[in-house]
Amino acid sequence: MKRYLLLCLIFVTGLAQAQLNLRVTKGVDNPTKIAVVPFAWAGGKLPEDIAKIVGNDLEFSGQFEATSPERMLSFPRAETEVHYRDWKALGAEYLLIGSVTQQAGRYYASYELFDVVQQKRVFAKLTVDGSSAQLRDMAHHISDKVYETITGIRGIFSTKLIYVEAFKQPQKYRLMISDIDGFRSRLLLESRFPLLSPVWSPNGQRVAYVSFEADNKPAIYIQDIATGRRQQMTNFRGLNGAPAWSPDGQKLAMALSKDGNPEIYVMNVLTRQLTRVTNHFAIDHEPSWSADGASLFFTSDRGGKPQIYQVHLTSMQQERVTFDGDYNARARVSPDGKSLVMLNKRPGTTHHIAAQDIKSGNLRILSETNLDESPTIAPNGAMLMYATRSGGKGVLAAVSLDARVKILQPPKQGDVREPAWSPFFN
């Protein structure tokens, strides 16, 4: 647990920036109602309200509705103080109680979950600890435990988000990192030149991206998130773009035009040895690894318009995999390897985010916003985030893979784009 919180602390140190303030615009029709009682605390005001953060986390998923403390009839601190009839009268299905203590400069949060309907304790008292700077991490950890216990799906509240902020006056680009709820954003890199296509390494320690800082030409960089140390991985003429980590973290797929036409290549990150994957007169770009690392999906206009193809890396056999719509691009594979998330455009419509079942080919439109781009999938496969436009600004939005939950970030001063969802950190 201490190792988990130490890793989280790495992300909160550094320069603080404006928050993303993502908000739920549509949840499931019948969300699970949960009461998160304010955690008991004998000292002064805590730097963070753990119960409020947990309630906000669960509501962020779109699957829960948290009971307002103002409606609560009591504030139990132990199982003996829980009166199920009171919570049933409020319509709560679950009840979370807890307390915070401090010892030798560290905070200890203990918590218990109860099933109001069945009138029983779901799990016994659990404890998570950390410093004052880690109170928010502790809350996210509790949210993850509650979410997984109730839904059976691993929680993603302790994961992180990397994205790009773009400003016009003066022109600058910022590579940012934050909690997925938008809080605790901090600067990773600032540049006068465009920053594109950030993508996390599988272990969550590095990020690969494209920068135009080298003679105003695109080049792929890898940056250590904790230390800020950077490596320039490519310096070829023409296109150097769309880096994608292999599942084992040892290779980067990318699009290069060093030999004349944009093609898909794979680079060994340690040795920088390149392997050419495609060889076609059309434009091949935007590679994405399959979940097992045995193949790559990529965008190509070899059929006349952009569609998604798959190349099997052992046989180098290639096949087209999308047929629904006159434009499909920027493929991303779900963690379970069953779904392909992409940009989809049908005649007479704008670009939307869609998900296609890889086995059956069935496609579902997920987003209702305009000019959508850059989808990135949560490590539990339940949600995805993407860039879109709102109020004339670039903003981030999120949607569940069943399209029942939708989340939007209100417009900010700069354009926000190119989101990348982190893997799990433990």
Side-chain angles (χ1 to χ4, degrees), residues 52-226:
K52 183 177 180 180
I53 295 170
V54 172
N56 289 343
D57 279 348
L58 296 175
E59 287 198 331
F60 176 84
S61 73
Q63 299 180 48
F64 289 85
E65 179 183 322
T67 302
S68 169
E70 288 75 19
R71 296 183 59 225
M72 295 180 182
L73 303 177
S74 60
F75 300 92
R77 301 184 178 189
E79 183 176 14
T80 55
E81 300 176 3
V82 173
H83 302 293
Y84 290 105
R85 64 179 182 277
D86 293 344
W87 303 103
K88 191 172 183 179
L90 294 176
E93 299 169 72
Y94 289 92
L95 171 68
L96 181 72
I97 67 172
S99 62
V100 180
T101 58
Q102 187 179 20
Q103 183 178 354
R106 293 188 68 80
Y107 292 87
Y108 296 81
S110 300
Y111 58 100
E112 299 174 83
L113 181 67
F114 300 88
D115 186 321
V116 175
V117 177
Q118 299 187 39
Q119 300 189 18
K120 66 177 184 179
R121 187 169 63 177
V122 178
F123 57 68
K125 185 178 292 186
L126 300 174
T127 301
V128 59
D129 67 287
S131 66
S132 61
Q134 295 170 319
L135 285 169
R136 198 166 193 93
D137 298 309
M138 294 162 59
H140 290 323
H141 175 79
I142 294 171
S143 303
D144 287 337
K145 177 63 177 179
V146 172
Y147 181 88
E148 183 173 5
T149 299
I150 296 176
T151 69
I153 302 171
R154 186 173 180 181
I156 40 77
F157 307 110
S158 297
T159 59
K160 301 289 178 178
L161 189 69
I162 283 178
Y163 56 94
V164 175
E165 282 184 335
F167 299 85
K168 294 181 180 180
Q169 299 295 336
Q171 179 174 301
K172 59 183 176 181
Y173 301 86
R174 291 174 174 171
L175 189 65
M176 306 294 296
I177 186 171
S178 76
D179 292 1
I180 64 160
D181 59 8
F183 283 83
R184 300 191 300 182
S185 59
R186 74 174 179 91
L187 182 69
L188 290 178
L189 178 69
E190 183 171 294
S191 175
R192 295 185 296 111
F193 303 95
L195 300 170
L196 304 171
S197 307
V199 58
W200 291 80
S201 63
N203 63 7
Q205 297 177 4
R206 295 184 289 177
V207 57
Y209 55 86
V210 175
S211 173
F212 283 70
E213 65 197 72
D215 300 322
N216 205 26
K217 298 188 302 183
I220 296 173
Y221 291 77
I222 291 178
Q223 180 169 330
D224 186 277
I225 294 174

Side-chain angles (χ1 to χ4, degrees), residues 10 17 43 98 105 110 119 126 138 152 154 167 187 235 289 331-332 334 336 341 344 380 387 390 411 414:
I10 291 173
Q17 302 289 335
S110 300
Q119 300 189 18
L126 300 174
M138 294 162 59
R154 186 173 180 181
F167 299 85
L187 182 69
N235 191 29
W289 293 85
R332 295 292 182 267
S334 62
D336 62 8
V341 172
N344 171 273
N380 68 356
S390 177

Side-chain angles (χ1 to χ4, degrees), residues 218-401:
I220 296 173
Y221 291 77
I222 291 178
Q223 180 169 330
D224 186 277
I225 294 174
T227 67
R229 187 176 64 87
R230 306 169 69 218
Q231 292 177 280
Q232 184 175 339
M233 303 301 293
T234 67
N235 191 29
F236 303 111
R237 67 180 181 88
L239 174 67
N240 296 249
W245 291 92
S246 61
D248 61 9
Q250 297 181 12
K251 298 178 284 292
L252 276 178
M254 59 189 67
L256 303 173
S257 62
K258 68 184 189 68
D259 295 323
N261 206 51
E263 304 285 358
I264 306 300
Y265 292 78
V266 171
M267 174 184 285
N268 183 299
V269 174
L270 183 62
T271 66
R272 305 202 183 188
Q273 179 181 353
L274 273 179
T275 301
R276 183 167 175 170
V277 176
T278 64
N279 189 356
H280 199 278
F281 60 82
I283 296 175
D284 297 337
H285 61 122
E286 299 177 339
S288 181
W289 293 85
S290 63
D292 61 6
S295 64
L296 286 168
F297 295 90
F298 63 96
T299 305
S300 178
D301 65 353
R302 61 184 63 184
K305 294 183 178 180
Q307 294 291 341
I308 296 170
Y309 293 74
Q310 183 178 16
V311 53
H312 301 272
L313 296 177
T314 300
S315 65
M316 290 299 178
Q317 178 183 352
Q318 301 175 29
E319 58 184 333
R320 178 174 166 177
V321 297
T322 58
F323 298 90
D324 191 341
D326 58 1
Y327 177 100
N328 288 287
R330 200 69 182 267
R332 295 292 182 267
V333 182
S334 62
D336 62 8
K338 296 180 180 180
S339 298
L340 200 62
V341 172
M342 68 196 76
L343 297 184
N344 171 273
K345 183 180 182 300
R346 296 174 178 179
T349 68
T350 185
H351 294 92
H352 290 300
I353 306 299
Q356 177 175 307
D357 184 281
I358 293 178
K359 186 175 181 179
S360 69
N362 293 333
L363 184 139
R364 175 201 294 263
I365 302 298
L366 301 179
S367 66
E368 299 172 348
T369 41
N370 295 315
L371 301 175
D372 304 333
E373 60 182 12
S374 306
T376 179
I377 307 175
N380 68 356
M383 298 190 74
L384 63 93
M385 199 167 288
Y386 61 96
T388 187
R389 305 290 296 181
S390 177
K393 293 286 187 178
V395 300
L396 299 185
V399 62
S400 60
L401 257 67

